[in-house]
Amino acid sequence: MLNSNEILSTIEMIDQQHLDIRTITMGISLLDCCDASEETACRKIYDKITAKAVNLVKTGEEIEREFGIPIVNKRISVTPIALVAGASDTKDYTPFARALDRAAQETGVNFIGGFSALVQKGATAADRLLIRAIPEALAQTERVCASVNVGSTRAGINMNAVAAMGRVIKTTADRTAERGGCGCSKLVVFCNAVEDNPFMAGAFHGVGEGECVINVGVSGPGVVYHALQSVKGEPFDVVAETVKKTAFRITRMGQLVAQEASRRLGVPFGIVDLSLAPTPAVGDSVARILEEMGLEVCGTHGTTAALALLNDAVKKGGVMASSHVGGLSGAFIPVSEDEGMIAAARAGALTLDKLEAMTCVCSVGLDMVAVPGDTSAETISAIIADEAAIGMVNSKTTAVRIIPAPGTKVGDTVEFGGLLGSAPVMPVHPFHSDAFIARGGRIPAPLQSLKN
């Protein structure tokens, strides 16, 4: 039973502390859309998505108005398209991306994820065709997001796929050069990708999921930042407890919205992803939370420890609030989408090396990082390999969403707009990894994978 103080507190969190539901994401299985004819398969995909999600945006807007809770995005995730398109007789998968884009536009969602392939142990002919199609698919569409899973704790790292993705990212940047290489902002390379992630660009509807499901992603860095202002100078035990209690309240709100959306749409409720997802708005930054713990600037010594505490406390508070917590759940550190991270990168305190260390303890990995346009495909592949190794060895999800912005150099800024924000171009190491990437093959799974 809510009392008046709790109601007023929630209103304050929404009005003054940037609390919102970042996304309601409908996951849709497309396995029954497989067809030998590419044209027929694309028609089935369009018809199924538009039928299942016809009321998704309207329902989200109704809940937003009735409950007074901002719902920033309405999104769709689908079965990895490589699994669906593999039955068709085409060698060009861009029509599938265009079908997804048309369906997204018809339903009114912000993004649709699932132009994806899972190649952690090896690639099928369909996987290779999809990976080859990514640059053109992202250049020809507005709302389609792509992802490729190149490694897992169980399988190791597919280094052939890692090498291929470096080239794909470079080509995608070139194909969208007039927009700062923004196609790369819709492309994620994963290790240990999860099947129920509601956040873009890495969302897809896993084969272990049901026919259709509603997942919700909450946010609220501003709420956590505000809560920590009341415990200045207190020991870390108090800090952790404060974050836990705040995460509990944020997640309860997400649970409420998820269950209401599920009831109104007649679709099963999947999970609440309680990740702290920042925005470029002042006061909605994960970096500022870390600085509130006592760091002069995010990226200085102590940052990784502070982020570890934050990530753990968010998870502990969230799992007490909902029996169905999933997705990634923790704290995101996308550089371009967090005004504090942007400021720290411009000050030189936040480097790629420090970000890599931070990804050992956060929810994902190197996210929305811009690097010079002349960065080689092999260097990008090596960055992906490093992140995948962190995920593989630590049995956690890691990812790379990197933008080699054409024509830019260190110190420039790339503007993406909206939630994607602006990215300061960060330096990469000048030394080459070409011979390392050229080896190919597979990095074997670590010993801890043998848990049976």
Side-chain angles (χ1 to χ4, degrees), residues 29 31 77-80 83 118 194-196 204-210:
S29 173
L31 290 175
S77 63
V78 300
T79 306
L83 300 177
L118 311 177
V194 298
E195 297 191 334
D196 55 4
F204 62 84
H205 187 69
V207 294
E209 298 288 309

Side-chain angles (χ1 to χ4, degrees), residues 119 131 148 150 157-171 189 376-385 433-434 436-441:
V119 296
I131 290 171
V148 176
V150 298
I157 303 171
N158 181 347
M159 290 300 292
N160 293 324
V162 168
M165 289 312 299
R167 296 189 293 270
V168 165
I169 289 169
K170 283 288 288 184
T171 306
V189 184
S376 71
E378 291 78 11
T379 294
I380 292 171
S381 292
I383 291 170
I384 293 169
S433 309
D434 300 25
F436 175 78
I437 296 301
R439 286 178 178 272

Side-chain angles (χ1 to χ4, degrees), residues 16-20 22 219-229 275-293 297-299 303 307 310 314 330-345 350 358 419:
Q16 300 175 26
Q17 299 165 24
H18 302 279
L19 178 61
D20 58 48
R22 186 53 48 85
S219 187
V223 180
V224 175
Y225 173 76
H226 184 269
L228 291 184
Q229 289 181 314
S275 296
L276 294 181
T279 73
V282 174
D284 201 24
S285 162
V286 169
R288 299 306 184 195
I289 296 173
L290 305 180
E291 291 167 0
E292 183 61 29
M293 292 186 195
V297 62
C298 178
T303 298
L307 182 59
L310 175 65
V314 165
F332 290 169
I333 53 171
V335 176
S336 81
E337 299 173 12
D338 185 313
E339 63 85 18
M341 297 287 179
I342 293 169
L350 193 62
M358 293 165 66
L419 283 176

Side-chain angles (χ1 to χ4, degrees), residues 128-379:
R128 287 190 287 270
L129 287 171
L130 184 131
I131 290 171
R132 185 191 307 166
I134 286 174
E136 199 62 34
L138 296 182
Q140 292 185 20
T141 60
E142 293 182 6
R143 309 184 193 202
V144 172
C145 294
S147 61
V148 176
N149 191 68
V150 298
S152 72
T153 299
R154 188 71 181 176
I157 303 171
N158 181 347
M159 290 300 292
N160 293 324
V162 168
M165 289 312 299
R167 296 189 293 270
V168 165
I169 289 169
K170 283 288 288 184
T171 306
T172 301
D174 291 340
R175 287 290 290 111
T176 55
E178 75 284 355
R179 291 173 284 162
C182 74
C184 297
S185 69
K186 299 184 292 176
L187 172 58
V188 182
V189 184
F190 276 116
C191 178
N192 288 323
V194 298
E195 297 191 334
D196 55 4
N197 166 27
F199 286 103
M200 298 297 167
F204 62 84
H205 187 69
V207 294
E209 298 288 309
E211 178 69 14
C212 190
V213 69
I214 287 293
N215 297 321
V216 166
V218 299
S219 187
V223 180
V224 175
Y225 173 76
H226 184 269
L228 291 184
Q229 289 181 314
S230 66
V231 293
K232 286 183 183 292
E234 296 287 346
F236 283 114
D237 315 71
V238 177
V239 172
E241 192 67 22
T242 302
V243 174
K244 279 167 52 181
K245 290 177 179 177
T246 307
F248 177 89
R249 292 160 65 196
I250 294 170
T251 308
R252 290 298 284 178
M253 187 190 73
Q255 173 100 344
L256 168 68
V257 170
Q259 290 177 333
E260 190 64 21
S262 170
R263 182 184 67 80
R264 296 188 186 195
L265 290 166
V267 173
F269 161 50
I271 56 94
V272 176
D273 186 318
L274 51 94
S275 296
L276 294 181
T279 73
V282 174
D284 201 24
S285 162
V286 169
R288 299 306 184 195
I289 296 173
L290 305 180
E291 291 167 0
E292 183 61 29
M293 292 186 195
L295 304 174
E296 181 180 2
V297 62
C298 178
T300 190
H301 304 298
T303 298
T304 305
L307 182 59
L309 181 153
L310 175 65
N311 208 54
D312 180 67
V314 165
K315 292 178 187 289
K316 286 174 178 174
V319 296
M320 289 298 293
S322 174
S323 298
H324 298 287
V325 171
L328 298 167
S329 290
F332 290 169
I333 53 171
V335 176
S336 81
E337 299 173 12
D338 185 313
E339 63 85 18
M341 297 287 179
I342 293 169
R346 285 177 175 157
L350 193 62
T351 64
L352 278 178
D353 287 345
K354 186 60 180 180
L355 279 169
E356 182 181 306
M358 293 165 66
T359 62
C360 296
V361 298
C362 77
S363 285
V364 194
L366 295 176
D367 196 11
M368 288 303 291
V369 174
V371 295
D374 61 0
T375 303
S376 71
E378 291 78 11
T379 294

Side-chain angles (χ1 to χ4, degrees), residues 38 85 88-96 125 128-130 132-133:
E38 164 241 300
S88 71
D89 55 8
T90 182
K91 301 301 182 185
D92 178 12
Y93 284 4
T94 54
F96 290 90
R128 287 190 287 270
L129 287 171
L130 184 131
R132 185 191 307 166

Side-chain angles (χ1 to χ4, degrees), residues 26 49-58 107:
M26 176 180 282
I49 293 172
T50 53
K52 290 285 187 183
V54 62
N55 293 317
L56 176 61
V57 172
K58 182 180 75 171
T107 56

